[in-house]
Amino acid sequence: MISALLLVCLAFYGWKPLLAQPSSPQMQAYYDESVNLGSVPADSANRFIANFLGYSLANPSVQLDPLYPEIEKNMHKYSMMH
């Protein structure tokens, strides 16, 4: 009975939002900074990218954070501009 109810809920709401974890404060800070990469000096943007990549390598689980792909998109967009 409970499993059937769970399946109905998953079907109605979708499974991904129920399983998504909230972003960490560190990832939120990285995201906020990544949004403005195009408006900061190139050395600051490059330092941010190096810092974020180092953080990602040291903490591989951040790749599961919902903001991780958004930060990657912002870095890619910046790199396409420069």
Side-chain angles (χ1 to χ4, degrees):
M1 178 69 178
I2 292 177
S3 61
L5 181 60
L6 180 60
L7 288 175
V8 169
C9 288
L10 289 175
F12 182 74
Y13 291 108
W15 63 272
K16 193 170 182 178
L18 295 176
L19 299 176
Q21 298 295 316
S23 293
S24 70
Q26 180 65 43
M27 288 299 284
Q28 184 64 52
Y30 277 125
Y31 173 75
D32 293 342
E33 193 170 349
S34 75
V35 170
N36 298 314
L37 284 177
S39 64
V40 299
D43 63 331
S44 295
N46 291 333
R47 192 169 32 256
F48 166 82
I49 292 169
N51 188 330
F52 179 73
L53 293 176
Y55 179 75
S56 298
L57 288 173
N59 303 287
S61 64
V62 300
Q63 294 178 10
L64 301 175
D65 190 288
L67 288 176
Y68 185 86
E70 300 302 316
I71 296 168
E72 280 192 320
K73 285 179 194 173
N74 291 336
M75 291 189 310
H76 180 72
K77 187 169 108 179
Y78 168 78
S79 68
M80 297 304 289
M81 295 170 36
H82 293 89

